[in-house]
Amino acid sequence: MKKFNVKVLNKEFSKINPDLKEFLSRPVIIVCGKMASGKNYVSSLLERFDYSSVDADILVHQAIEEAKDKIVETFSEYADKEGISILDDQGKIKRRALGKILFAHPDLLAKQEAIVYPIITQKIEDFIKNHKKTIINATVAYKTPEILEKGNLIVFVQSNCLKRFLRARKRDKLPFSQILKRFNSQKNLLDNYKNCKKEIILIKN
């Protein structure tokens, strides 16, 4: 795997390392990395090279609302046991409340993924069809073979744990314990991508 510092993406295309130039010719790039590593920032830099970016996190929000009835049916029993409501006063899914349940119970996370991933996959396929060069910003693309196979390159964003923690606290305002749980759930993320046998480059942010 080749490794680059994020600063190289701020250069003009003509001044970029030849290896990186070749990577930037790929029509579909999957940008991934652990929580608060800087995936959105790297995606925004790559957009300078004529890419259009689709953010899987945003698609998850849309998919959750589209599949709201199924999600309520599936998880209400668990929410009641925890004393948590997963619907707000407007009848929309409370993602933070749902996330608290899912990250505490990996088997439930798999159930939620089975509900929303087909919706997300279709949205991404439609996006790719309508754009010449695409960035798929998705932490766990390795879980969806249909998305993974469309990528011509995986860009894995890395950042040290302290930076990630401080960014997560500032951005998401989550409790210390919840951030650590999410960090722990992603500890093998790079290995999961290596097992996919796709070409990977590392970007240090």
Side-chain angles (χ1 to χ4, degrees):
M1 287 182 292
K2 293 186 180 293
K3 189 169 187 175
F4 303 92
N5 189 287
V6 70
K7 292 178 181 178
V8 302
L9 297 177
N10 279 310
K11 295 182 179 180
E12 294 300 319
F13 187 75
S14 61
K15 298 178 182 178
I16 282 178
N17 176 301
D19 287 338
L20 188 56
K21 277 187 182 180
E22 195 279 321
F23 293 136
L24 294 174
S25 69
R26 311 291 178 88
V28 180
I29 292 176
I30 296 172
V31 174
C32 54
K34 296 178 180 179
M35 181 183 185
S37 59
K39 297 180 293 295
N40 291 345
Y41 176 57
V42 169
S43 294
S44 70
L45 293 178
L46 290 171
E47 287 175 359
R48 297 174 56 243
F49 305 103
D50 299 323
Y51 283 94
S52 298
S53 180
V54 58
D55 188 334
D57 279 348
I58 293 174
L59 297 185
V60 168
H61 301 179
Q62 296 172 2
I64 285 174
E65 284 305 315
E66 290 179 26
K68 178 177 69 175
D69 292 344
K70 182 66 174 176
I71 288 172
V72 171
E73 178 187 336
T74 304
F75 299 111
S76 286
E77 177 185 347
Y78 303 99
D80 290 344
K81 288 179 180 176
E82 298 280 347
I84 296 172
S85 172
I86 58 174
L87 290 177
D88 64 18
D89 294 339
Q90 284 75 47
K92 293 186 176 181
I93 296 289
K94 293 162 66 175
R95 292 185 63 251
R96 188 162 292 184
L98 180 61
K100 185 176 181 180
I101 298 168
L102 299 179
F103 280 98
H105 305 280
D107 56 323
L108 299 186
L109 181 59
K111 286 184 179 182
Q112 190 240 19
E113 290 169 349
I115 294 170
V116 301
Y117 278 8
I119 301 172
I120 296 167
T121 298
Q122 185 59 56
K123 289 179 180 293
I124 289 175
E125 288 176 351
D126 292 343
F127 189 92
I128 291 172
K129 288 176 185 175
N130 291 313
H131 296 86
K132 188 176 179 181
K133 295 173 74 178
T134 299
I135 296 163
I136 304 171
N137 180 349
T139 300
V140 291
Y142 71 91
K143 290 186 176 182
T144 49
E146 299 88 351
I147 293 174
L148 193 65
E149 71 179 18
K150 294 184 181 302
N152 309 115
L153 176 72
I154 292 170
V155 171
F156 194 94
V157 185
Q158 294 183 312
S159 189
N160 74 55
C161 195
L162 178 59
K163 281 185 180 179
R164 291 172 49 230
F165 178 80
L166 294 175
R167 287 172 188 157
R169 281 285 289 173
K170 182 178 180 180
R171 182 189 67 191
D172 301 326
K173 298 178 174 58
L174 293 172
F176 179 82
S177 59
Q178 200 165 342
I179 293 174
L180 288 185
K181 279 183 181 178
R182 294 194 181 187
F183 277 20
N184 187 59
S185 72
Q186 296 177 347
K187 63 184 178 182
N188 297 319
L189 190 62
L190 181 55
D191 288 335
N192 289 327
Y193 278 103
K194 288 178 181 177
N195 291 336
C196 295
K197 309 301 180 186
K198 282 277 188 177
E199 188 173 12
I200 301 172
I201 66 170
L202 304 177
I203 298 289
K204 183 180 178 183
N205 180 30

